[in-house]
Amino acid sequence: MQMIVLMFLAIILFGGFLLSLPISSRTGTWTSYLSSVFTATSATCVTGLTVFDTYTHWSGFGQVVILLLIQVGGLGFMTIASLFFLAVNRKIGLKQRLLMAQSLGIDQLSGIVKLVTHVLVRTAIIEGAGALILTIRFCFLVPFDRALWWGIFHSVSAFCNAGFDIVGAVDVGGSLIPFVGDWVVSITIMLLITVGGLGFFVWEDVLTKRSFRKMTVYTRLVLLISACLAFGGGALIAILEWNNPATLGNLPVAEKCLAALFQSVTSRTAGFYSIPQGAMSDAAKAVTDTLMLVGGSSGSTAGGVKTATMGVLILAVIAAARGRSRVTVFHRTINSQQVSDAVAVVCMVFGLAFTGSLVLSATNNLPLMDCIFETISAIATVGLSTGITPLLNVLSQLILIVLMYFGRVGVMTVSLGFLITNAAEERYRYADTKVMIG
């Protein structure tokens, strides 16, 4: 786990150096190292928060660097490195297998090389298909060479749940707002986000078992929660924003439903948006905060506390409310240690996000709701923003860098620690006691 932490840090610092070079900016001048590291962290941690518009500030070279950082950060450094091991037919040792498993968020070594091979091949197929569809659509708007680059960039960014966009030539800083009613772009991006956020283990299980009843409890739980969050969140956002003229109010009914669903899907750690985030009502922002906090699934390109983690927490609350001592799902029991782990992850992530938001609000004189939105977006590696990112001072940018890094690397390593570390043998224990709850 220490190796994973250090490798991500090294990639971010090197990526920041490359982005600071004059060749990386459109003006041919140096970019401040802090802004470059902020962008590199956001790309490597597949977040999407930016202090500059990606198209107007970064040159073609800078955009390529950002795309490579997104791909490496999304799939994990060792997953990419394994491609080179396989290409030169070099034997992959135990240490490399351990790193592969940890970079994918998986706690077993059995079949890891085969799984990594499947991940790389399927990623190439999915991203290629997404790039093809988007390129064909963009060809009707811009010249072919630009359409091809837009298609590749947005396909990789969507699949890796990064949220970076380069359509600044159409609307600077507006993400996918110009395509709010475009069914081809919206549906393609949503499918890429969803597939990338399900997790590599879930892919393997779905493609191998093919029957919902035969899939593992984890896979079924992920699929069920993901569907509920996507469509339930979309319904709530549609209800809350239906008559808001700054978001959904002026759109036709079909496009309102499409935009609401897109907002729900992208809030699950993607970072694209087709309606202005700052113009949403506080209630819709709260729904988006919840979706961002949950995020995607373990072992995926997504962030957040993860769907299964939140599912375990909700099941534990239901069990406690019904007076039951055991947490069950699909006729299986979830052990108490996993329930405690879920509580720890959720409390840790929300606690850090809330603390960070207090500092942002106090030091920048900004509304607390917008700051909570920003910090949850950072630690859940989402990338959505109400527009305050470029306005933040140096301290606040450093806080967001730490939150993005922790959200991608910290949560993963802490979760792996829960999985692979056996509890230390207790030599003694204190007598039981009771406290009042509720």
Side-chain angles (χ1 to χ4, degrees):
M1 290 186 288
Q2 293 174 355
M3 185 67 72
I4 296 293
V5 170
L6 292 175
M7 284 192 299
F8 266 90
L9 181 60
I11 291 169
I12 288 170
L13 295 178
F14 182 66
F17 168 73
L18 291 178
L19 290 175
S20 69
L21 298 175
I23 192 176
S24 296
S25 68
R26 285 192 178 274
T27 58
T29 58
W30 290 85
T31 302
S32 73
Y33 190 63
L34 176 61
S35 298
S36 300
V37 168
F38 187 98
T39 304
T41 304
S42 184
T44 307
C45 298
V46 291
T47 305
L49 290 176
T50 58
V51 290
F52 303 120
D53 179 75
T54 307
Y55 175 80
T56 57
H57 181 81
W58 304 109
S59 65
F61 177 81
Q63 292 173 23
V64 170
V65 171
I66 291 173
L67 188 65
L68 291 175
L69 291 174
I70 290 171
Q71 190 73 86
V72 172
L75 294 183
F77 174 78
M78 280 310 300
T79 306
I80 301 295
S82 65
L83 177 64
F84 297 98
F85 283 112
L86 297 171
V88 300
N89 200 26
R90 180 179 173 181
K91 184 178 179 179
I92 300 176
L94 178 60
K95 184 176 181 180
Q96 286 75 33
R97 292 169 188 261
L98 282 167
L99 287 171
M100 286 181 192
Q102 291 180 10
S103 66
L104 288 176
I106 297 172
D107 64 328
Q108 60 184 26
L109 293 181
S110 177
I112 185 62
V113 176
K114 181 180 178 182
L115 176 60
V116 167
T117 304
H118 288 174
V119 167
L120 292 170
V121 172
R122 289 166 185 164
T123 295
I125 293 173
I126 294 169
E127 289 182 348
L132 178 61
I133 296 171
L134 291 174
T135 298
I136 293 173
R137 177 66 188 95
F138 290 142
C139 275
F140 291 94
L141 305 174
V142 294
F144 175 76
D145 57 340
R146 180 180 292 183
L148 178 61
W149 177 233
W150 281 15
I152 294 172
F153 191 98
H154 293 100
S155 179
V156 174
S157 183
F159 177 78
C160 291
N161 281 218
F164 280 81
D165 71 90
I166 51 172
V167 293
V170 179
D171 184 11
V172 177
S175 190
L176 299 182
I177 289 178
F179 304 97
V180 62
D182 193 309
W183 289 81
V184 175
V185 173
S186 295
I187 291 177
T188 303
I189 294 293
M190 282 193 289
L191 288 175
L192 288 167
I193 292 169
T194 302
V195 174
L198 285 177
F200 308 122
F201 178 81
V202 173
W203 295 2
E204 194 75 8
D205 201 31
V206 169
L207 294 173
T208 303
K209 306 292 179 56
R210 299 187 180 182
S211 171
F212 186 78
R213 296 176 64 87
K214 295 180 181 179
M215 295 174 191
T216 64
V217 170
Y218 171 75
T219 298
R220 284 184 280 171
L221 190 61
V222 165
L223 293 176
L224 183 62
I225 294 174
S226 297
C228 290
L229 288 174
F231 293 103
L236 283 174
I237 291 170
I239 292 171
L240 295 171
E241 295 295 305
W242 194 265
N243 294 317
N244 185 348
T247 55
L248 303 181
N250 296 325
L251 298 175
V253 173
E255 292 183 9
K256 285 183 179 181
C257 296
L258 176 66
L261 181 61
F262 188 91
Q263 175 68 21
S264 177
V265 171
T266 195
S267 298
R268 304 275 310 290
T269 84
F272 294 106
Y273 57 90
S274 60
I275 57 175
Q277 302 300 287
M280 291 192 301
S281 64
D282 285 346
K285 289 179 183 177
V287 172
T288 302
D289 284 339
T290 303
L291 293 172
M292 290 194 296
L293 189 65
V294 176
S297 304
S298 301
S300 72
T301 60
V305 299
K306 306 297 186 297
T307 49
T309 303
M310 188 59 72
V312 169
L313 190 60
I314 293 172
L315 289 170
V317 171
I318 294 174
R322 298 177 66 182
R324 295 185 176 180
S325 60
R326 291 180 296 177
V327 180
T328 60
V329 61
F330 298 124
H331 305 293
R332 294 290 187 274
T333 299
I334 299 172
N335 67 58
S336 59
Q337 184 59 53
Q338 288 192 306
V339 175
S340 299
D341 294 344
V343 172
V345 170
V346 173
C347 290
M348 182 169 48
V349 170
F350 183 77
L352 287 172
F354 185 71
T355 303
S357 68
L358 293 178
V359 177
L360 262 65
S361 180
T363 58
N364 294 275
N365 195 28
L366 293 169
L368 181 60
M369 190 67 185
D370 289 347
C371 293
I372 292 175
F373 194 96
E374 193 85 2
T375 53
I376 290 179
S377 179
I379 200 168
T381 69
V382 180
L384 293 177
S385 173
T386 56
I388 67 173
T389 311
L391 307 177
L392 300 176
N393 57 29
V394 172
L395 174 62
S396 299
Q397 290 187 29
L398 289 173
I399 289 174
L400 291 184
I401 288 174
V402 172
L403 290 177
M404 288 188 288
Y405 183 75
F406 179 82
R408 180 58 178 160
V409 182
V411 171
M412 179 175 66
T413 53
V414 168
S415 300
L416 284 169
F418 291 149
L419 291 170
I420 66 178
T421 303
N422 293 321
E425 182 181 354
E426 296 181 2
R427 298 180 183 276
Y428 62 90
R429 73 181 184 89
Y430 295 107
D432 293 338
T433 188
K434 289 187 178 181
V435 296
M436 289 192 214
I437 304 296

